[in-house]
Amino acid sequence: MYSLFKDYLNKELGAIHNEGLYKKERIMISPQGAKVSLVGGEEVLNFCANNYLGLSNNEQLIDAAKKALDSHGYGMSSVRFICGTTNLHKELEKAIAKYFGTDDTILYAACFDANGGVFEPLFNKEDAIISDSLNHASIIDGVRLCKAQRYRYANADMDDLEEKLKLAQAQRFRLIVTDGVFSMDGNIAPINEILALSEKYNAMVMIDESHSAGVVGETGRGVTQLYNCRGKIEIITGTLGKAFGGAIGGFTTGKKEIIEMLRQRSRPYLFSNSIPPFVAAAGIEAFKILSESNILVDKLHSNTRYFISEMIKNGFDIKPTQSAICAVMLYDANLAQKYASKLLDKGIYVTGFSYPVVPKGQARIRVQLSAEHTMAHLQKAVQAFCEVRENL
Ligand SMILES: *Cc1c(COP(=O)(O)O)cnc(C)c1O
């Protein structure tokens, strides 16, 4: 059997190559940071990590993790409800609830699991899930695992959402689901309008704050802070894998009864391992740092403002953004690829995105800002963008 299957796979892989969609890993030999070393020895400035607050290699987080390795060991070898819960897991769940102003939190191995395990335990075929068309893959997969009636509305299109809410009046419970920040454009879900519609059409709201937590809002508490609706959202999911240290872990935080039910019925929680205690300890430290000072969030905001204004001043076509994601539009897939590779030659590490990750004819380079970038880093990046444009 395998020889036939192997031929089939090689043919498919060849097609991926021919379409220019083959993904390769670029190997780094340094910790994650504003400056990273690639395996060939080159040092480059990194503008494609989700390391928004520069916590991935933060000394306080590393110290907290080391201490917990000594006090709590390496791994748990258990799911949470058997013998996989330490005081550190409980403390981190509390810290996350405090950060978002919610009742309670349940941890997962990743936000992919949080989203995969949030719908099926709560909703059945009598209910409706109304989902933004640009929501993250894990939301799409999570919704597929649930028997609820599905509705999909065009990205942040409130007229379309209203249409779908009208149709969904046929169902028992309704849940509107959206990313806080959409990762390809950096735009924000219009939570104020979504909330108004949820009241008019009697629906609940779920927000995935993975790209917005730590980034959006005056103190980085996410889109619920920006729209002044903390405590009003039934379900928030998020990741520890981006702004909050970038190691591993995800969470669902929100209404008490919802979290309680997830602890009873959510399959990735019941059937997958607990996160290591040292990761929980570093997570606690991250939320402690962010509760004590706003320095990192302020720095991220000023870096983002500066970079975007410089890029616009230099005539680049930037998607309107309210996050730390800056999409530099090039439209042509080949050009985006070439542009990114020339930028790397100049020591600027960014990624080009084209179809199918973004719509056809919408190829771009996505720049992600970090609190760790210095003014010199930002200036070097803008200059490199200008130089490459002249050569292409
Ligand atoms: C990154 C991301 C996830 C996945 O988070 P992990 O913890 O890496 O699994 C889920 N949702 C959104 C919106 C994301 O951006």
Side-chain angles (χ1 to χ4, degrees):
M1 184 87 265
Y2 188 65
S3 68
L4 277 176
F5 189 57
K6 185 173 137 182
D7 291 345
Y8 161 77
L9 289 182
N10 280 329
K11 210 170 134 226
E12 292 291 307
L13 287 165
I16 296 173
H17 265 296
N18 291 339
E19 288 165 52
L21 302 174
Y22 198 85
K23 287 173 196 61
K24 288 194 203 106
E25 296 173 340
R26 189 161 271 126
I27 299 167
M28 290 161 34
I29 53 169
S30 67
Q32 187 61 275
K35 207 183 259 178
V36 296
S37 306
L38 303 181
V39 75
E42 326 147 62
E43 265 202 345
V44 294
L45 295 177
N46 192 357
F47 284 88
C48 55
N50 302 312
N51 184 19
Y52 295 121
L53 298 174
L55 290 175
S56 301
N57 193 32
N58 176 281
E59 255 173 48
Q60 282 169 262
L61 266 63
I62 294 168
D63 281 346
K66 282 180 178 165
K67 280 199 187 108
L69 275 168
D70 289 335
S71 61
H72 288 71
Y74 177 65
M76 293 310 297
S77 303
S78 170
V79 299
R80 284 288 300 277
F81 81 97
I82 298 181
C83 53
T85 301
T86 69
N87 58 317
L88 297 173
H89 294 88
K90 295 314 290 179
E91 206 182 309
L92 177 57
E93 288 179 340
K94 276 215 188 90
I96 292 170
K98 191 161 173 230
Y99 187 84
F100 289 97
T102 48
D103 298 342
D104 199 4
T105 305
I106 174 174
L107 287 173
Y108 290 86
C111 187
F112 208 104
D113 291 326
N115 286 332
V118 70
F119 303 104
E120 183 263 347
L122 299 174
F123 303 104
N124 66 29
K125 62 183 192 316
E126 293 178 67
D127 306 317
I129 295 170
I130 307 137
S131 179
D132 189 289
S133 63
L134 288 191
N135 278 344
H136 190 263
S138 54
I139 295 178
I140 296 167
D141 287 6
V143 173
R144 279 189 189 138
L145 293 171
C146 168
K147 297 220 160 53
Q149 177 75 40
R150 299 171 211 156
Y151 298 93
R152 186 167 171 265
Y153 64 96
N155 177 232
D157 182 332
M158 294 299 102
D159 293 334
D160 198 18
L161 173 58
E162 183 159 15
E163 284 312 304
K164 302 296 146 67
L165 280 165
K166 282 178 186 163
L167 295 174
Q169 294 306 304
Q171 277 78 43
R172 177 183 60 169
F173 300 126
R174 285 163 288 284
L175 179 73
I176 304 167
V177 188
T178 182
D179 282 9
V181 161
F182 296 95
S183 65
M184 284 302 141
D185 289 5
N187 61 319
I188 283 185
I191 302 298
N192 51 347
E193 296 173 60
I194 290 173
L195 272 176
L197 286 172
S198 78
E199 273 162 34
K200 186 169 174 193
Y201 292 95
N202 202 20
M204 297 178 281
V205 177
M206 167 175 154
I207 305 174
D208 181 338
E209 293 262 30
S210 288
H211 276 289
S212 40
V215 175
V216 171
E218 203 183 323
T219 63
R221 263 52 173 181
V223 291
T224 65
Q225 180 177 43
L226 188 73
Y227 287 107
N228 201 17
C229 59
R230 278 164 69 79
K232 282 197 195 159
I233 306 298
E234 281 80 11
I235 303 172
I236 291 173
T237 59
T239 181
L240 301 174
K242 292 188 171 109
F244 304 128
I248 194 81
F251 54 84
T252 300
T253 191
K255 298 293 181 197
K256 177 178 171 291
E257 300 74 15
I258 290 176
I259 305 304
E260 195 176 346
M261 184 55 82
L262 292 176
R263 282 193 214 281
Q264 300 309 310
R265 300 243 175 100
S266 180
R267 293 165 69 84
Y269 174 84
L270 295 173
F271 298 107
S272 189
N273 200 25
S274 179
I275 62 166
F278 68 90
V279 170
I284 293 164
E285 189 65 24
F287 289 105
K288 184 163 163 269
I289 290 171
L290 298 177
S291 71
E292 284 169 352
S293 147
N294 209 41
I295 289 178
L296 295 176
V297 176
D298 288 341
K299 182 83 185 304
L300 175 64
H301 288 170
S302 66
N303 278 353
T304 307
R305 269 197 308 272
Y306 176 78
F307 181 80
I308 288 171
S309 73
E310 284 301 298
M311 290 294 279
I312 291 172
K313 224 184 274 171
N314 282 286
F316 286 96
D317 182 358
I318 306 293
K319 280 259 181 195
T321 176
Q322 291 164 284
S323 62
I325 290 167
C326 174
V328 184
M329 300 306 292
L330 297 165
Y331 302 100
D332 181 79
N334 268 324
L335 180 61
Q337 208 77 345
K338 248 190 230 157
Y339 215 114
S341 131
K342 298 257 182 224
L343 282 167
L344 191 65
D345 293 343
K346 292 186 180 292
I348 304 297
Y349 185 8
V350 288
T351 315
F353 289 95
S354 51
Y355 183 81
V357 181
V358 294
K360 275 204 172 115
Q362 292 281 309
R364 70 202 56 190
I365 287 175
R366 181 176 72 172
V367 178
Q368 289 173 284
L369 286 311
S370 168
E372 204 180 322
H373 289 134
T374 65
M375 191 54 85
H377 293 159
L378 302 175
Q379 285 165 348
K380 188 173 170 196
V382 174
Q383 197 191 336
F385 263 97
C386 293
E387 286 169 10
V388 170
R389 179 172 55 188
E390 264 162 41
N391 297 335
L392 281 177

